[in-house]
Amino acid sequence: MTTPWIVSVIDDDEPVRNALAMALEAVGYKTATYLDADDFLARGREGCGVVVSDVRMPGTNGIELTRILRTQGGNTPVILMTGHADAALLAEAMSAGADALLSKPLMLKDMMAEIARTATVHGLLP
């Protein structure tokens, strides 16, 4: 699968960020990686189709990033990931406008399925 859009992978944990990007690229997604949400916001979002972001990072966290993207009028799909999932965090993520909250350690097949589902819901995939 080759897409005209990019999956933006945002995580302050470099091995996680790079492994996820490599796995996505192996199945045909284009990716861009970012150290944190502030790096993503500063470097621009040209061509971004789906955002995959860690929740807990220094500076702007993943939930705050989701709120920023929604207040800017964007409909960019956002998939959040965390090693500390609970019902309260899920509720906060959904109220911020996230499309999904996945638990770490990630199952790559679950991440791939969620990206495809979210991209389809947002009209990025048929």
Side-chain angles (χ1 to χ4, degrees):
M1 161 194 331
T2 301
T3 60
W5 43 266
I6 297 168
V7 177
S8 295
V9 179
I10 307 167
D11 197 315
D12 60 319
D13 185 333
E14 183 177 12
V16 170
R17 182 176 67 240
N18 291 339
L20 184 52
M22 286 191 314
L24 291 168
E25 289 169 3
V27 297
Y29 288 108
K30 296 176 189 175
T31 66
T33 60
Y34 301 89
L35 174 63
D36 55 34
D38 297 320
D39 183 31
F40 173 75
L41 292 168
R43 289 176 37 199
R45 302 181 293 276
E46 189 68 33
C48 178
V50 176
V51 169
V52 175
S53 177
D54 192 16
V55 170
R56 295 187 179 169
M57 299 176 285
T60 305
N61 68 41
I63 291 174
E64 292 166 341
L65 172 63
T66 303
R67 285 189 183 111
I68 290 167
L69 293 174
R70 295 299 173 252
T71 59
Q72 290 177 347
N75 192 30
T76 302
V78 178
I79 299 169
L80 296 175
M81 47 188 183
T82 184
H84 310 282
D86 61 24
L89 184 60
L90 177 61
E92 185 179 11
M94 296 302 108
S95 72
D99 291 275
L101 177 66
L102 301 178
S103 294
K104 290 180 179 180
L106 297 170
M107 298 296 294
L108 287 176
K109 66 180 178 71
D110 294 340
M111 175 59 75
M112 301 296 180
E114 190 58 46
I115 290 171
R117 183 198 70 77
T118 302
T120 300
V121 166
H122 285 267
L124 297 171
L125 290 176

